[in-house]
């Protein structure tokens, strides 16, 4: 049933992972997919659909893309925010990356080993800092310690936030909004669209993005089929 092999997930999670786009309006058999996946020795298959599957008992995640058109913003300077390019990543930065994933399907799905969730976000922040996976990594410091984090990547006319998180002890102080304003002030005129991905169950993030001018522009349901 045209399951696509996922090399990165398979290599790092230690079991065979694949993905498939499904359309419930077409002839789709979950049992047939299970049989095909077992024959190919898959341990996990992500089922991606634009609509909810009827009567499904599989774990699923509602992936939301929030977007907004870039507008001209005033220059914004915050002495507590710095571009983070470090030879040694501070533990607080790793912790913030993990915090950004507290509503991630990799954490909420109890079938996932905890080590896989940690490895995914550790690799994400490492690639963001050490490679061109991210255009830049911004860190908000208080008393020299990182308490806020935002990564983003620019591609053609779009800028996408990857990771954004604020330490639990410093929430409610406007740090997240300052990171957003600072990030937007760095963008060049050729950037026309801003976007960010979050989960449907992540109500705090959704409220935060909506407060900062983002609207839902895409919705995808991702199911986990464990074999």
């Amino acid at each position: 049933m045209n399951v696509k092999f996922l090399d990165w997930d398979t290599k790092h999670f230690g079991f065979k992972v694949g993905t498939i786009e499904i359309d419930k309006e077409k002839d789709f058999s979950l049992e047939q997919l299970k049989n095909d996946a077992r024959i190919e020795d898959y341990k996990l298959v992500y089922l991606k659909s634009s609509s909810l599957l009827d009567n499904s008992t599989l774990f699923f995640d509602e992936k939301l893309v929030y977007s907004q058109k870039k507008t001209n913003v005033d220059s914004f300077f915050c002495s507590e925010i710095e571009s983070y390019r470090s030879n040694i990543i501070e533990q607080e930065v790793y912790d913030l990356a993990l915090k950004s994933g507290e509503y991630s399907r990799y954490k909420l799905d109890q079938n996932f080993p905890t080590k896989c969730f940690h490895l995914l976000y550790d690799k994400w922040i490492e690639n963001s800092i050490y490679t061109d996976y991210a255009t830049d990594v911004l860190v908000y410091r208080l008393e020299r310690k990182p308490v806020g984090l935002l990564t983003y990547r620019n591609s053609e006319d779009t800028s996408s936030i990857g990771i954004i998180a604020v330490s639990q002890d410093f929430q409610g102080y406007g740090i997240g909004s300052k990171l957003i304003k600072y990030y937007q002030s760095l963008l060049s005129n050729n950037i026309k669209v801003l976007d960010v991905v979050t989960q449907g169950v992540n109500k705090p993030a959704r409220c935060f993005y909506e407060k900062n001018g983002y609207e839902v522009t895409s919705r995808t349901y991702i199911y986990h089929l464990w074999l």
Side-chain angles (χ1 to χ4, degrees):
M1 295 184 70
N2 298 320
V3 175
K4 179 183 177 183
F5 174 72
L6 295 178
D7 182 72
W8 193 96
D9 300 56
T10 298
K11 177 182 177 181
H12 289 86
F13 294 162
F15 47 82
K16 191 173 181 180
V17 185
T19 185
I20 186 172
E21 302 279 346
I22 60 175
D23 184 347
K24 78 171 189 175
E25 300 301 326
K26 295 182 179 180
D27 186 20
F28 169 74
S29 168
L30 182 59
E31 289 305 314
Q32 182 63 51
L33 176 57
K34 288 180 180 178
N35 291 335
D36 291 351
R38 287 193 180 100
I39 291 172
E40 296 297 326
D41 199 30
Y42 280 101
K43 173 74 179 293
L44 171 64
V45 178
Y46 307 137
L47 285 63
K48 299 183 179 181
S49 173
S50 60
S51 56
L52 285 168
L53 299 182
D54 296 332
N55 303 317
S56 174
T57 59
L58 301 176
F59 170 91
F60 75 92
D61 169 67
E62 182 185 17
K63 174 185 173 182
L64 300 176
V65 177
Y66 274 85
S67 304
Q68 66 169 302
K69 292 182 179 179
K70 178 179 174 289
T71 58
N72 293 326
V73 296
D74 296 332
S75 60
F76 180 79
F77 175 75
C78 180
S79 60
E80 289 85 3
I81 299 176
E82 64 181 42
S83 177
Y84 194 86
R85 297 294 182 187
S86 175
N87 290 327
I88 300 177
I89 302 176
E90 294 159 274
Q91 184 58 49
E92 291 88 350
V93 173
Y94 278 116
D95 293 342
L96 286 166
L98 276 179
K99 179 168 177 50
S100 74
E102 61 185 350
Y103 288 93
S104 163
R105 57 193 172 98
Y106 299 99
K107 182 175 182 180
L108 297 183
D109 184 350
Q110 297 182 358
N111 287 305
F112 257 109
T114 301
K115 65 178 182 180
C116 291
F117 166 68
H118 282 254
L119 181 141
L120 178 65
Y121 281 83
D122 286 352
K123 289 292 184 182
W124 191 348
I125 190 61
E126 288 169 2
N127 288 339
S128 297
I129 291 171
Y130 295 141
T131 75
D132 61 357
Y133 189 77
T135 298
D136 203 357
V137 175
L138 304 177
V139 163
Y140 191 106
R141 289 187 184 274
L142 283 178
E143 298 179 356
R144 296 188 292 180
K145 289 187 177 182
V147 298
L149 174 69
L150 185 150
T151 75
Y152 68 94
R153 179 176 175 81
N154 299 335
S155 178
E156 297 180 353
D157 67 346
T158 302
S159 183
S160 304
I161 293 176
I163 294 174
I164 181 167
V166 175
S167 172
Q168 187 68 40
D169 295 336
F170 294 95
Q171 292 187 358
Y173 291 88
I175 292 174
S177 294
K178 288 179 182 178
L179 282 165
I180 287 275
K181 290 180 181 178
Y182 190 93
Y183 146 68
Q184 292 181 350
S185 72
L186 298 176
L187 301 177
S188 61
N189 292 332
N190 67 297
I191 298 296
K192 306 300 181 185
V193 178
L194 314 178
D195 64 28
V196 62
V197 173
T198 193
Q199 300 79 31
V201 295
N202 193 346
K203 292 183 179 180
R206 295 177 65 179
C207 290
F208 173 74
Y209 297 134
E210 290 164 9
K211 182 182 74 173
N212 282 278
Y214 288 81
E215 297 180 348
V216 175
T217 55
S218 174
R219 189 185 310 267
T220 305
Y221 297 96
I222 304 176
Y223 291 81
H224 289 179
L225 173 61
W226 291 91
L227 284 309

